[in-house]
Amino acid sequence: MIRWLFPFSVLLLALASPCLAGRDFTVVVYNLENLTNFDGRTNFAEYRPSRYTREHLLTKMINITRVLQQFEDGRGPDVIIFQEFERDFRSARYVFDHEGMLKRYADTKIEDMLGALYSRDVAKIPVEGLLLKTMADRGLTGYRVAAADDGITPDSRRYITHLNVVFTRFPIGAVRTYPLPTAPAMMEVQVEVEAYPLYLFNVQWPYEASDLRAERDRVAAAETLHERLDQILAVNPNADILIAGDLGCFYDQKTRFGFARTALQDVLQARGDEMQLRSGANVFYNLWYELPRPARGSEPYGDGWSTFMQMVVSRGLYDFRGIQYVDNSFSVGAFENLNATPEGQPIPWSFKGNGSGFSQHLPIFARFTTVRNNRTDQFIQLLPRGKTAATLSADH
């Protein structure tokens, strides 16, 4: 499978007209394949203490951090949209002071916290807090954390295992949670980038892409999301919106399986033509269409690849106000001899020894920038597939 990885140093802006210098940043979407604490409070037998130890957890967090160090010259992306943190089953509500934890353990390494200095207080730190500390020890600092407040309830949702979590260096405004009956709660996180609002929707929908019942559950989830998107777009048709996560379905779900109604293409109106964004505020664009068809894939699926990990963008990310997508910057984070084999296959997590590997899901990412032209009637110049402003200039 072909992997198209663009060097970040040459990802320049593809703009239709001159604009003031903006703030460039990367967004990474990463399913961690069940990052679980070591306390034995888990829904998965293989993650119980007889097999899964503090050493395993440390290995997994260090490996996740190594992947994130591939972005922004080692300092990590400014926005990380995570899926599959296993929730803290000890608490009915999600409340934790991540900043306070980092200050308290500023002079203690994560290796010691999980080793010789392990204590009852360390045991109370939720697993995303431990990952935050692991990253901070390795120079990935400045992150604020937003997690779905997905409290354990007496109904069937108490068995929903995972939480969606966002790490970001940008100030966080409103955070909203949308519980789903058969999947982790969707998250809405509004961040402020150079005084401009960016709406992030962190999604993990039910799996079984080919199953009609699962598609109906995805449709119901998409309808909940669509209702909220309509509210935002009614106020600002050019709002900057990014929907990202593990959607449990293909970007071309309707064509592939022939379902009468799909969550992605019918409810959310996620299209494959960037030009359609100019014709209506309620149409979205799926960034998988940025890549040649052979390069579209985030994890093995049967004899081919899935595109369950997705990034879907709004019209506002193409205009000249606020945040703007950098055309053709979307790609798959398959880093050879790190989280991927020379053939581009992901290296999944293994329990052998003290643990090894990463995730069966390759991360996906894209670049964005801010523009201050305040022109919602102008849109970025679209470049040929696979070309950035820098490579196009070099060709001439």
Side-chain angles (χ1 to χ4, degrees), residues 32-290:
L32 301 179
E33 193 184 342
N34 199 43
L35 183 60
T36 303
N37 221 322
F38 51 84
D39 56 10
R41 298 171 186 262
T42 174
N43 281 340
F44 298 94
E46 62 267 36
Y47 283 90
R48 298 210 167 101
S50 60
R51 189 178 185 191
Y52 183 72
T53 65
R54 291 185 299 222
E55 289 79 12
H56 285 97
L57 173 60
L58 180 62
T59 298
K60 194 164 189 178
M61 294 191 300
I62 290 173
N63 285 355
I64 292 166
T65 302
R66 290 169 62 202
V67 172
L68 297 173
Q69 286 177 314
Q70 304 308 303
F71 300 93
E72 304 292 357
D73 296 321
R75 65 186 290 270
D78 286 320
V79 178
I80 314 168
I81 300 176
F82 286 119
Q83 296 79 47
E84 290 202 13
F85 282 98
E86 188 159 0
R87 68 195 296 171
D88 184 356
F89 286 90
R90 295 167 298 186
S91 176
R93 284 185 62 81
Y94 183 90
V95 179
F96 188 74
D97 180 7
H98 295 91
E99 184 178 359
M101 179 273 297
L102 289 178
K103 289 179 179 179
R104 176 177 178 179
Y105 293 100
D107 297 325
T108 307
K109 296 297 183 183
I110 187 66
E111 288 85 352
D112 295 325
M113 292 170 62
L114 296 181
L117 300 181
Y118 176 69
S119 67
R120 188 172 298 178
D121 287 342
V122 172
K124 294 178 181 178
I125 301 174
V127 69
E128 86 286 341
L130 296 172
L131 177 61
L132 182 71
K133 171 60 177 170
T134 306
M135 292 165 58
D137 285 353
R138 286 153 179 79
L140 284 72
T141 59
Y143 288 105
R144 302 166 172 89
V145 177
D149 186 1
D150 190 17
I152 300 174
T153 59
D155 61 18
S156 61
R157 290 209 79 261
R158 69 179 302 155
Y159 302 108
I160 301 296
T161 298
H162 294 128
L163 289 176
N164 295 322
V165 179
V166 171
F167 284 18
T168 177
R169 291 192 176 99
F170 300 120
I172 296 174
V175 178
R176 294 180 173 89
T177 300
Y178 304 90
L180 302 174
T182 60
M186 292 187 294
M187 282 189 72
E188 174 190 344
V189 181
Q190 183 178 330
V191 299
E192 185 178 286
V193 186
E194 299 287 291
Y196 296 111
L198 172 62
Y199 294 89
L200 304 172
F201 287 90
N202 189 351
V203 174
Q204 185 177 11
W205 287 346
Y207 284 106
E208 302 299 336
S210 62
D211 183 75
L212 180 57
R213 181 176 298 180
E215 187 62 32
R216 287 170 178 163
D217 287 340
R218 288 188 289 268
V219 165
E223 287 173 340
T224 298
L225 177 55
H226 187 266
E227 181 178 353
R228 175 56 183 150
L229 295 172
D230 280 350
Q231 292 172 351
I232 296 170
L233 295 171
V235 176
N236 178 11
N238 286 68
D240 296 319
I241 301 170
L242 173 62
I243 304 163
D246 187 341
L247 276 64
C249 60
F250 289 85
Y251 71 93
D252 58 350
Q253 186 82 348
K254 191 177 185 72
T255 305
R256 186 179 294 261
F257 298 113
F259 294 143
R261 192 162 185 254
T262 62
L264 196 60
Q265 293 164 279
D266 294 299
V267 179
L268 291 187
Q269 299 289 302
R271 305 301 191 196
D273 183 355
E274 289 168 291
M275 291 298 295
Q276 289 189 15
L277 293 173
R278 305 185 185 192
S279 63
N282 289 40
V283 175
F284 292 81
Y285 176 62
N286 195 315
L287 292 184
W288 275 119
Y289 289 95
E290 297 285 86

Side-chain angles (χ1 to χ4, degrees), residues 281-327:
N282 289 40
V283 175
F284 292 81
Y285 176 62
N286 195 315
L287 292 184
W288 275 119
Y289 289 95
E290 297 285 86
L291 301 183
R293 188 175 293 274
R296 297 174 190 170
S298 53
E299 67 176 273
Y301 181 86
D303 295 331
W305 287 78
S306 83
T307 51
F308 298 164
M309 302 299 296
Q310 301 190 37
M311 300 178 78
V312 176
V313 296
S314 69
R315 163 193 177 96
L317 290 170
Y318 278 72
D319 67 19
F320 276 81
R321 182 173 67 184
I323 296 93
Q324 186 181 83
Y325 169 62
V326 177
D327 195 30

